[in-house]
Amino acid sequence: MDIVLLFKSLIMGMVEGITEFLPISSTGHLILTGDLLNFMSKEKRDVYEIFIQLGAMLAVVWEYRAKLTQTLKGAVKPGSERNLLLAVVIAFIPAAILGLLFSKTIKAHLFQPVPVAMAFIIGGIIILWAEKRQANKVPVVESVDDLSLKDALKVGLCQCLALIPGTSRSGATIIGGMFLGISRKAATEFSFFLGIPTLGAASIYSLLKHRHELDMGDSGVFAVGFIASFIFAFIAIRALIKFISTHTFVGFAYYRIAFGLIVLATAYSGLVSWTV
């Protein structure tokens, strides 16, 4: 087993776990990190990056296992549990359809350092706008259990923006939710729940579609990334919920803008030869 490759996989898993549920784009960070590390072939890395998202998704399942169990049990009759389950399903559909239709085109044209960097910067500016707007308004929806199906569909449409690498799935859903009048905490928790079918479906679809790219020799590398993703996503989820109880997303916005500018500067100066 190649120890260097395993170490690179550990770093990739850490990056995925830490960034998946923060509004800073896990895909963008994985693209750039993988490029810097010269990690695996492009085709195999694409499958790897989707696969380790399963680890992050399972971290949500574990953290909210009591809530999820209660929701599934209560969904057999009308009430808040059924409403939440339907909200997640409805919000999941738009991105699933657009992903199937346009994922190849998006990967061919937008999975490049400059588009990713621009998405980082634009996303940061939008977060600053959303936080300024939120400061002057009282949220209409305080709890994830009170989310209407109409608002869930709107959040699902916002999630479609995350098909653009560098945008951030969690950022699109959380900030989109805040624009809709959903509280910061409720929008964040709904983003977590929506990530379960979104990441799960994307991972399974990618593995089935690209299974010919894999062999048993990759199992150790994939396992290390998966486990690292689970552990660091679990830590990040708890940290984020605690963080937003007393802070805004402004710090993440400035991070996105600074990170995007650095990528642009290194790309145009030739300091880093981005190849993705």
Side-chain angles (χ1 to χ4, degrees), residues 6 11 19 63 76 79 86 115 128 167 170 193 228 233 235 250 258 264 273:
L6 290 178
I11 294 174
T19 61
E63 174 64 13
V76 297
L86 287 173
L128 291 176
T167 300
S170 57
F193 298 149
I235 295 170
V250 169
L264 286 178
S273 299

Side-chain angles (χ1 to χ4, degrees), residues 26-47:
S26 62
T27 300
H29 280 80
L30 285 174
I31 289 173
L32 299 175
T33 303
D35 197 39
L36 284 173
L37 294 175
N38 192 27
F39 181 72
M40 307 181 83
S41 66
K42 183 66 171 64
E43 295 74 18
K44 191 167 291 188
R45 191 207 303 174
D46 288 342
V47 183

Side-chain angles (χ1 to χ4, degrees), residues 101-147:
L101 292 176
F102 300 110
S103 61
K104 285 186 178 179
T105 302
I106 291 170
K107 284 185 177 181
H109 298 285
L110 297 180
F111 273 62
Q112 303 292 334
V114 173
V116 169
M118 293 303 298
F120 267 102
I121 295 169
I122 294 170
I125 294 171
I126 292 174
I127 291 174
L128 291 176
W129 178 25
E131 285 292 0
K132 184 177 181 180
R133 189 171 179 271
Q134 180 94 338
N136 300 320
K137 289 190 176 184
V138 177
V140 177
V141 180
E142 288 287 355
S143 170
V144 70
D145 293 320
D146 299 326
L147 191 69

Side-chain angles (χ1 to χ4, degrees), residues 71-86:
T71 298
L72 291 174
K73 287 181 177 179
V76 297
K77 58 183 179 180
S80 60
E81 289 85 3
R82 178 183 290 181
N83 184 80
L84 178 57
L85 184 61
L86 287 173

Side-chain angles (χ1 to χ4, degrees), residues 212-229:
H212 60 280
E213 298 283 350
L214 307 175
D215 56 60
M216 286 303 296
D218 299 317
S219 58
V221 176
F222 275 61
V224 168
F226 181 93
I227 294 170
S229 175

Side-chain angles (χ1 to χ4, degrees), residues 48-252:
Y48 169 89
E49 290 173 358
I50 293 293
F51 175 75
I52 63 174
Q53 288 181 343
L54 276 174
M57 181 270 286
L58 289 177
V60 173
V61 174
W62 180 253
E63 174 64 13
Y64 286 94
R65 59 192 182 280
K67 174 71 173 176
L68 293 172
T69 301
Q70 177 187 343
T71 298
L72 291 174
K73 287 181 177 179
V76 297
K77 58 183 179 180
S80 60
E81 289 85 3
R82 178 183 290 181
N83 184 80
L84 178 57
L85 184 61
L86 287 173
V88 171
V89 172
I90 288 171
F92 164 72
I93 292 173
I97 294 173
L98 290 181
L100 287 172
L101 292 176
F102 300 110
S103 61
K104 285 186 178 179
T105 302
I106 291 170
K107 284 185 177 181
H109 298 285
L110 297 180
F111 273 62
Q112 303 292 334
V114 173
V116 169
M118 293 303 298
F120 267 102
I121 295 169
I122 294 170
I125 294 171
I126 292 174
I127 291 174
L128 291 176
W129 178 25
E131 285 292 0
K132 184 177 181 180
R133 189 171 179 271
Q134 180 94 338
N136 300 320
K137 289 190 176 184
V138 177
V140 177
V141 180
E142 288 287 355
S143 170
V144 70
D145 293 320
D146 299 326
L147 191 69
S148 71
L149 299 183
K150 183 178 180 180
D151 283 339
L153 177 59
K154 291 178 181 178
V155 172
L157 292 172
C158 290
Q159 183 175 237
C160 294
L161 294 173
L163 293 171
I164 302 171
T167 300
S168 170
R169 187 201 64 81
S170 57
T173 51
I174 294 171
I175 303 305
M178 289 170 60
F179 271 112
L180 295 170
I182 303 170
S183 71
R184 191 177 290 104
K185 185 175 186 297
T188 301
E189 289 191 336
F190 188 68
S191 177
F192 289 163
F193 298 149
L194 182 54
I196 295 174
T198 302
L199 300 180
S203 299
I204 293 170
Y205 174 77
S206 178
L207 288 173
L208 291 175
K209 184 178 179 181
H210 301 286
R211 59 187 180 276
H212 60 280
E213 298 283 350
L214 307 175
D215 56 60
M216 286 303 296
D218 299 317
S219 58
V221 176
F222 275 61
V224 168
F226 181 93
I227 294 170
S229 175
F230 174 87
I231 293 172
F232 283 90
F234 180 75
I235 295 170
I237 290 166
R238 289 198 165 185
L240 183 59
I241 290 297
K242 184 177 180 180
F243 178 85
I244 62 173
S245 64
T246 55
H247 297 79
T248 68
F249 289 116
V250 169
F252 293 114

